[in-house]
Amino acid sequence: MTYEAVIGLEIHAQLQAGTKIFCGCSTVFGAPPNTHVCPVCLGFPGVLPVLNRSAVDLGIRAALALGCRINETSIFARKNYFYPDLPKGYQISQYEQPLASAGSVSFAMPDGPRRVGITRVHLEEDAGKSLHEGFPDSDRTTYVDFNRAGVPLIEIVTEPDLRSAADAAEFFSRLRAILVWLDVNDGNMDEGSLRCDANVSVRPAGTAALGTKAEVKNLNSFRFLQKALEFEIERQRALVGDGIRVVQETRLFDVSTGTTVSMRSKEEAHDYRYFPEPDLPPVRVSAERLAAVRERMIELPDARRQRFVAAFGLPEYDAAQLTQSRHSADFFEATVTAGAPAKTASNWIRGELARVLNDTGRSMADPPVSPTRLAELLRLVEAGTISGAIAKTVFEKMVVSADSAEAIVRRDGLTQIDDEGAIIALIADVLTRNTDAVAGYRAGKTATFGFLVGQVMKAAGGKANPKRVTELLKQALA
Ligand code: ADP
Ligand code: MG
Ligand code: ZN
């Protein structure tokens, strides 16, 4: 019998909402422990949470991008449990009535399309962090850092629609791209800004009933998600194949061994005793507010890719590459707006600019040449003032100075040689110096033509118009 895997993900994404969700404390990562705290996020008695408006708007923005329905009323609830990093003794989350429901995400895998249902998107606060390492007495003492307590999160819960570890990793990476694109999340998985719990079960292929699931907690990279799922699917297949039942439990992925290990079983599962948070009113999203969020919605990567093909005549491949990040898509559009031909701009951004970024360790967020400056360079090529080859030299110089393309061309005398007389003189000189090649060409060895073109270009310091050189060389050899 063959068994298929069934996977559903729960993803926590930190919202870039300026402050924590119920107080004005900073959410900046990496501050000294317990410096971004106040009576609200430390759970002092007698203080009241006040909801961060922009966290709600970012949650709505994300949910809209995931095709969800935004619920007119959603309710904060207390999720009660004891843990040292949770000073109030409960986490404020949304339970029965989440911010948004019933969306979906579609994407393509090499063997076909995929569609993953989004069950819900809800708002909640993060907990603090227990520090088990890094102190002289860490063998005896655990410290707690509350800087993360109260940081605004959305939790995105998918339907159990994924069927393989590779699909799950691809979905998670698409989701990250969307959230980062929308400025909802910073995408820093190493800092814990985005993390994923994976629920997985197996069942006989072709059957509909769900098997018993295990949940692998806190996966903070696409690769770890994929590895953890691959291991877990095989573990469950082996069990079920041997007629042993999978037990419902929470497991942890051990990065060093690539295996998952049991953390707690269902019997040890918490009873969270959820109840509505009495200190916060229900969240109401009016039609006007929803319209305002839609208004400020940033065009999504898929839509932008299609527009690049339709409006600029770009090949699908170019459009897909340019829309991998908003920075590169913006850079491309600004270059075209500044007067560069679209396809040339695309080639340069994906070619020369990408190479320079790679070599210098910079990113599209901080490019060494602005779109306006690149457009100016490409206009010089378009106008025939410089050749494409010379343009690359000019570009190198633009990267390390603030000079314009035109200034560099003028200063270094790089203007393309178009003048017929000048090119004919160069050709004549090359032909007298390469009598063997000329004789070879005339005897039918046409491959020497390319060699002669190369010699002329070299004599011209790369500046001769290659089209004119080809024409005039043919005439000279005729
Ligand atoms: P729980 O109550 O244990 O949190 P939920 O029904 O809330 O379970 O589902 C949590 C996540 O687990 C969702 O992403 C859901 O799609 C997924 N899931 C639920 N049942 C299964 C199953 N049998 N196999 C795989 N994934 C599942
Ligand atoms: Mg659940
Ligand atoms: Zn605070």
Side-chain angles (χ1 to χ4, degrees):
M1 176 136 32
T2 55
Y3 293 92
E4 74 172 351
V6 174
I7 301 159
L9 304 180
E10 295 164 285
I11 289 146
H12 288 92
Q14 187 172 323
L15 299 169
Q16 303 198 82
T19 68
K20 292 188 179 181
I21 186 167
F22 300 122
C23 61
C25 288
S26 164
T27 57
V28 172
F29 182 83
N34 300 311
T35 54
H36 293 169
V37 291
C38 75
V40 172
C41 54
L42 287 177
F44 283 22
V47 290
L48 288 175
V50 178
L51 179 58
N52 175 336
R53 214 185 144 77
S54 110
V56 180
D57 285 343
L58 289 173
I60 295 173
R61 179 187 286 181
L64 286 175
L66 304 178
C68 291
R69 175 187 80 230
I70 309 301
N71 297 318
E72 222 173 290
T73 303
S74 60
I75 293 183
F76 281 107
R78 290 189 181 179
K79 180 179 182 179
N80 298 282
Y81 62 95
F82 173 80
Y83 204 74
D85 65 16
L86 193 71
K88 296 194 296 293
Y90 58 86
Q91 177 195 23
I92 303 179
S93 181
Q94 294 184 316
Y95 186 53
E96 276 170 349
Q97 278 177 262
L99 179 71
S101 320
S104 73
V105 171
S106 296
F107 59 99
M109 291 297 279
D111 64 339
R114 304 285 192 273
R115 186 189 168 284
V116 178
I118 304 294
T119 313
R120 55 190 275 146
V121 176
H122 70 247
L123 292 163
E124 63 184 29
E125 60 178 342
D126 210 341
K129 209 181 201 164
S130 299
L131 306 173
H132 304 287
E133 284 167 7
F135 297 92
D137 54 351
S138 279
D139 56 338
R140 279 168 287 134
T141 307
T142 290
Y143 291 80
V144 190
D145 176 8
F146 290 109
N147 284 348
R148 208 180 61 182
V151 161
L153 304 178
I154 45 172
E155 179 174 342
I156 300 165
V157 182
T158 80
E159 292 290 302
D161 287 345
L162 292 153
R163 293 289 173 270
S164 75
D167 283 11
E170 180 64 21
F171 168 81
F172 189 21
S173 111
R174 295 295 175 115
L175 190 64
R176 176 183 178 277
I178 292 171
L179 297 177
V180 171
W181 181 282
L182 292 176
D183 291 334
V184 165
N185 179 263
D186 68 14
N188 291 334
M189 299 170 77
D190 292 343
E191 297 176 0
S193 297
L194 185 67
R195 43 196 204 260
C196 172
D197 301 335
N199 299 271
V200 54
S201 61
V202 297
R203 67 183 173 195
T207 62
L210 292 172
T212 304
K213 72 176 162 80
E215 178 178 14
V216 189
K217 280 271 182 207
N218 259 327
L219 298 158
N220 69 348
S221 88
F222 310 127
R223 205 167 56 84
F224 292 163
L225 170 63
Q226 181 158 351
K227 291 260 171 265
L229 282 172
E230 279 166 359
F231 176 85
E232 187 56 25
I233 291 165
E234 272 327 302
R235 186 186 72 88
Q236 293 188 17
R237 276 196 180 126
L239 285 178
V240 174
D242 289 344
I244 303 167
R245 275 215 294 219
V246 173
V247 296
Q248 186 167 335
E249 62 184 354
T250 303
R251 299 177 71 86
L252 284 180
F253 180 59
D254 181 341
V255 178
S256 60
T257 57
T259 63
T260 66
V261 290
S262 182
M263 186 169 99
R264 59 171 184 256
S265 73
K266 196 184 181 186
E267 289 70 46
E268 301 163 83
H270 300 289
D271 170 7
Y272 294 118
R273 298 176 293 124
Y274 279 100
F275 64 86
E277 165 62 66
D279 291 341
L280 285 164
V283 181
R284 299 202 192 278
V285 180
S286 66
E288 293 75 46
R289 183 169 189 184
L290 194 54
V293 176
R294 273 190 209 279
E295 184 90 356
R296 286 190 312 256
M297 190 81 179
I298 299 156
E299 188 184 22
L300 286 166
D302 273 356
R304 201 157 185 196
R305 195 190 71 235
Q306 286 163 19
R307 184 165 62 77
F308 279 7
V309 173
F312 300 117
L314 284 188
E316 277 287 346
Y317 180 78
D318 289 43
Q321 283 212 316
L322 291 170
T323 52
Q324 297 222 327
S325 86
R326 226 172 82 207
H327 288 298
S328 65
D330 286 348
F331 193 102
F332 165 74
E333 250 186 300
T335 309
V336 174
T337 305
K343 177 60 180 152
T344 316
S346 165
N347 292 347
W348 274 76
I349 291 165
R350 294 176 305 110
E352 291 304 298
L353 180 58
R355 190 180 54 71
V356 165
L357 292 178
N358 203 23
D359 290 352
T360 56
R362 295 171 76 148
S363 82
M364 269 294 182
D366 168 38
V369 171
S370 70
T372 325
R373 292 177 74 214
L374 177 61
E376 203 191 324
L377 173 69
L378 300 186
R379 284 206 312 272
L380 292 178
V381 180
E382 184 74 358
T385 311
I386 54 172
S387 67
I390 290 294
K392 291 185 181 171
T393 314
V394 176
F395 186 71
E396 301 271 334
K397 298 184 180 184
M398 289 167 69
V399 166
V400 294
S401 79
D403 299 336
S404 72
E406 236 180 310
I408 294 169
V409 168
R410 222 180 311 119
R411 184 191 68 204
D412 297 355
L414 296 171
T415 305
Q416 179 157 267
I417 302 168
D418 255 330
D419 176 62
E420 194 158 302
I423 296 175
I424 289 174
L426 289 168
I427 289 175
D429 185 46
V430 164
L431 295 189
T432 49
R433 281 190 289 111
N434 294 279
T435 45
D436 286 0
V438 173
Y441 178 80
R442 294 207 163 111
K445 272 173 67 186
T446 47
T448 55
F449 186 76
F451 166 76
L452 290 167
V453 169
Q455 292 302 305
V456 177
M457 289 304 290
K458 198 170 147 197
K463 289 182 290 181
N465 178 336
K467 235 174 90 198
R468 300 292 289 142
V469 169
T470 305
E471 287 163 15
L472 295 169
L473 184 61
K474 272 201 183 124
Q475 284 175 23
L477 290 168

